[in-house]
Amino acid sequence: MPLFIIERNFAEQLEIDSDGVVAITRINGDVGVNWLFSFLSADKRKTYCLYEAKDPEAIREAARRANVPADVIVEVSQAYGAAIDGLRAQASAGA
């Protein structure tokens, strides 16, 4: 499945709790996108998220339903690093 980096700009500082994570995960599942992980900027006004999705429109739909921005969506060809290696190992074990 294609990978995408999403940049989100928030007018206010972002504070997300475990209930928010569960709600976002549920919405993502409904539209067929998979949130892998996110980085939060030091000022808590931007996030950079890595997602798996069939296309950018699915990401936009999930963002609309969750009432969060998806200001920039960039498809990436590959991801590298220990976190990605761990996700690949989990996916292989579950297959």
Side-chain angles (χ1 to χ4, degrees):
M1 188 173 297
L3 294 171
F4 296 89
I5 297 286
I6 296 92
E7 178 181 315
R8 303 178 194 280
N9 295 287
F10 296 91
E12 303 288 326
Q13 284 193 343
L14 176 65
E15 298 293 335
I16 189 166
D17 60 15
S18 60
D19 291 338
V21 170
V22 169
I24 289 169
T25 301
R26 185 175 298 124
I27 290 166
N28 289 345
D30 289 346
V31 298
V33 302
N34 185 29
W35 173 31
L36 299 175
F37 57 87
S38 295
F39 296 96
L40 179 62
S41 65
D43 65 3
K44 297 186 179 182
R45 293 182 185 267
K46 283 190 177 189
T47 61
Y48 300 90
C49 307
L50 181 64
Y51 273 78
E52 291 178 316
K54 62 182 178 180
D55 55 40
E57 289 73 32
I59 293 168
R60 286 187 193 95
E61 177 61 18
R64 185 191 66 72
R65 290 185 188 189
N67 197 31
V68 296
D71 300 301
V72 178
I73 300 172
V74 177
E75 185 171 0
V76 295
S77 62
Q78 288 185 300
Y80 303 95
I84 295 299
D85 293 342
L87 290 169
R88 286 185 181 128
Q90 285 178 332
S92 295

